[in-house]
Each structure stands twice: as structure tokens, then as C-alpha cells.
Amino acid sequence: MEPNDLFRKLIAFTASVHQVKHDFSKDLRLDDITPVQYAILEYLAVDQPVTLSEISDCLHMSMPNTSRELKKLGDKGLCEKFAVAGDRRKQAIRLSPEGQAMMDGVFAHYGSLFQARMQRFSPETRAEIERSLDVLQTHVFYTDRPKRNV
Amino acid sequence: MEPNDLFRKLIAFTASVHQVKHDFSKDLRLDDITPVQYAILEYLAVDQPVTLSEISDCLHMSMPNTSRELKKLGDKGLCEKFAVAGDRRKQAIRLSPEGQAMMDGVFAHYGSLFQARMQRFSPETRAEIERSLDVLQTHVFYTDRPKRNV
DNA sequence: TTGTTTGGTTATCATATGATAACAAAAGGA
DNA sequence: TCCTTTTGTTATCATATGATAACCAAACAA
């Protein structure tokens, strides 16, 4: 196979993943949470705790806008800020118990939709899928980001 | 491995893919094209030609908003509408030559970034990556959408 | 000490986006 | 024929989002 075909395939694959996630999230009831706010919550759910400037960097949004959206999330009781020992400028941010519960619900929703697709497969096929996930995540879809020190 | 771990892994994987695509598109110069407009162009690049209502369905946007954004793209010379034989209500939409050229450039950009990650791998590893893509795309990340008939 | 950088906030403005109503033309069913 | 559905358009409004300026306090470097 030509290398170019592999890149094409990678591009088509990322488009598919994006599309499936979009479809899966369609019937998700996230009342009162905007897409950007959801992105922050999802980021927090993976990497906790984190500083405001890290969110700003990783989600490619400006500090003022990050600060604004984070305040809204705080007002909704979905995340919390607390001081960082050693640097009084910084503040660590993490999901509140309510925010964590909400994201657990979201992940359970995705999980059940994935489950519907996995059900019909044999244990061998599932194992193959899992190996494929590992291969792609370690070789292709990793994020190389400077390590943080919260 | 517990089934739940597999779903967690799937969720983490989709988040990674999303993040990598986001990072890759960061230094992409798409002057004068908004995110929603880019999403339409990317959709067109994969599925061409397509009707307005199909774009509306697949991208989860209302017909009026789809119509509005499509007009803007037409004004920018990036896509074209033409009549569909057999149903005078419908209109097929496809990328214009300029739009196609632009998306080719975008894909080449993604391709070169992927290439940077693939370079160091042996042909065997690349083949394994390719198999993994196939496995996941056919078993997990497929979109089941009613077939269109443009 | 003084100046500079880092991390963050508040306010403000312009634009992008989502939602809805009202409309029209073609297709299709009875 | 008349009624309904499909496909699309235009206009309008509210909100979400991005960009920027001005500011502050803590950290840091000289």
C-alpha cells in the first residue's frame, strides 16, 4: 500500500470518529451547558486537577474567555477552584462532586451506545478491538504536551 | 478485562482522537472560514455530491442555518449547487474546484503531520496500524445513516 | 530595590451560531 | 382535484464565542 493511502485512511478515520461521537452525543441532555463548557468539563474529567492556563493552552482558548466560562461552570456548581501550595497566583481546578456525577452519567451514556455495537462480537473480536485501540493510541493518537506540575 | 474497561478505553480513545485533530488543525490557516463552515466543507470532501437536507441531518443543523452557511460558502466560491434530475426541489451540492483545492491542501497538512508520526515506524508496525484502523472503522466507528440517492 | 514575567480577572465589542416564524415551489397521495 | 409532505429560502432574534484592552497581585530576575 502507498504511504499516501495510509494518510488518507487516517484522515477518513478521524472524520469517522468525530462523526460517531457527534451522533452519540446528539440525544444527550446537557441542559444549560454550552459546547465550550462541555469541552472544559470533558477535559477536566480526563486531567484533574488542572490550572486555568493549562485549560487555556490545551483547548486553544484565551485566558479571559477561559476565565469567563470557568466562572459560569463554578456558578452552576460543576467545578471548583482551590489554591495551589507554593504559588499563590495559581489555582487548581477540578470537577465538583456534582460535576463528576454529571460526567459519569455522560460517559455511561457513551458506554451504553458503544456496548450496543460491541454486543454481537465474540470475545476474540473484542480483544482484537482492544488491541487496535492500544496500537492507535500509543502510536498515532497521543498528545505530546509539556508535562504539568500542579 | 472487564467490559467496562473496554468502554472507558473507547471513550478515552475518542477524546484522544479529538484532541489530536484539534492540535493538528491549530496551525492551519483557514482565513475567513468559520468552524461550522469548515465542518460543511469537510463533510462535502468526504461525501460528494450531497443535498442540503443531508448536510442538515448529518451535521445536526437546522435547514435555515444550513442554507445560510451554504450561501456564504457559495459566495466565497468554495462550493456549488446544481439541479438534481428527477426532483426539481432538490439541489446537489459539491465543492467547487477552488473548494476542492483548499480541502486537498488541508488534507495534505494533516497528512504531513501524520507522516511525522509514522516515519519512525517499521513497515510491519505501519501495517499493524493500518489493520487497526480497519478493525475499528468497520466494527466501532461506522456511521449507520440511511442511504441517500442523489 | 526596581523592573519584568506569569497567572488571572473584568469589561466590552463584534461575530458566529442556534432557534423560530413565515413563506414558496415541487412532489405525492387521496 | 385538494391536501399533505418534502425541500428549501429569507428574515429576525437571542445567545455563545473570540478578541482585545486595562487591570491586579504574586513571582522572579537584576
Side-chain angles (χ1 to χ4, degrees):
Chain A
M1 159 177 266
E2 288 298 313
N4 272 336
D5 291 344
L6 181 50
F7 302 143
R8 282 253 155 224
K9 200 174 269 201
L10 272 163
I11 288 160
F13 179 77
T14 64
S16 288
V17 172
H18 201 268
Q19 187 65 47
V20 166
K21 188 183 178 186
H22 195 202
D23 289 348
F24 277 14
S25 63
K26 188 177 148 189
D27 41 317
L28 205 49
R29 277 272 154 273
L30 272 347
D31 10 53
D32 225 27
I33 290 173
T34 70
V36 169
Q37 286 165 15
Y38 176 78
I40 293 176
L41 292 176
E42 198 178 78
Y43 180 70
L44 285 175
V46 176
D47 244 357
Q48 243 179 126
V50 98
T51 67
L52 196 148
S53 39
E54 283 170 325
I55 297 176
S56 170
D57 278 351
C58 295
L59 300 188
H60 309 321
M61 33 191 305
S62 70
M63 294 269 296
N65 293 338
T66 307
S67 175
R68 179 224 287 151
E69 298 307 319
L70 229 29
K71 190 148 76 81
K72 291 180 191 167
L73 288 172
D75 291 345
K76 294 175 200 213
L78 296 172
C79 69
E80 300 168 336
K81 307 177 182 183
F82 50 94
V84 169
D87 191 333
R88 276 186 296 175
R89 289 169 307 179
K90 292 188 182 178
Q91 39 187 281
I93 295 152
R94 69 159 65 114
L95 293 175
S96 68
E98 302 82 46
Q100 187 66 58
M102 184 193 132
M103 291 311 289
D104 286 346
V106 168
F107 291 154
H109 169 84
Y110 286 132
S112 73
L113 287 169
F114 277 127
Q115 190 165 36
R117 295 197 167 189
M118 304 299 268
Q119 250 167 0
R120 60 186 129 138
F121 298 133
S122 65
E124 294 75 34
T125 304
R126 292 187 200 203
E128 194 186 358
I129 288 168
E130 199 192 330
R131 271 198 309 279
S132 298
L133 287 172
D134 288 337
V135 164
L136 291 181
Q137 189 141 31
T138 59
H139 291 80
V140 185
F141 297 107
Y142 55 86
T143 59
D144 43 11
R145 205 174 287 304
K147 257 313 163 211
R148 62 206 170 72
N149 47 351
V150 178
Chain B
M1 160 177 266
E2 288 299 310
N4 272 336
D5 292 344
L6 181 51
F7 303 143
R8 283 251 155 223
K9 199 174 269 201
L10 271 163
I11 288 159
F13 179 76
T14 63
S16 289
V17 171
H18 201 267
Q19 187 65 48
V20 167
K21 188 182 178 186
H22 195 202
D23 289 348
F24 277 14
S25 63
K26 188 176 148 189
D27 40 317
L28 205 50
R29 277 270 155 273
L30 271 350
D31 10 52
D32 226 25
I33 289 172
T34 70
V36 169
Q37 286 164 16
Y38 176 78
I40 294 176
L41 292 176
E42 197 177 79
Y43 180 70
L44 285 176
V46 175
D47 243 357
Q48 246 179 127
V50 97
T51 67
L52 194 147
S53 39
E54 284 170 324
I55 296 176
S56 170
D57 279 350
C58 296
L59 300 188
H60 309 319
M61 33 191 306
S62 69
M63 293 268 296
N65 292 339
T66 308
S67 176
R68 179 225 285 153
E69 298 307 319
L70 229 30
K71 189 149 77 81
K72 291 179 191 167
L73 288 173
D75 291 345
K76 295 175 199 210
L78 295 172
C79 69
E80 299 169 337
K81 306 177 181 183
F82 50 94
V84 170
D87 191 333
R88 275 186 296 174
R89 289 169 307 178
K90 291 187 181 178
Q91 38 186 284
I93 295 151
R94 68 159 65 114
L95 293 175
S96 68
E98 302 83 45
Q100 187 67 58
M102 183 192 131
M103 292 310 290
D104 286 346
V106 169
F107 290 154
H109 169 84
Y110 285 130
S112 73
L113 287 170
F114 277 127
Q115 190 166 36
R117 296 198 166 188
M118 304 299 268
Q119 249 168 0
R120 61 187 128 138
F121 297 133
S122 65
E124 294 75 34
T125 303
R126 293 188 199 203
E128 194 186 357
I129 288 169
E130 199 191 331
R131 270 198 310 278
S132 298
L133 287 171
D134 288 337
V135 165
L136 291 180
Q137 189 139 32
T138 58
H139 291 79
V140 185
F141 298 106
Y142 55 86
T143 59
D144 43 10
R145 207 174 288 303
K147 258 314 165 208
R148 62 204 170 73
N149 47 350
V150 179

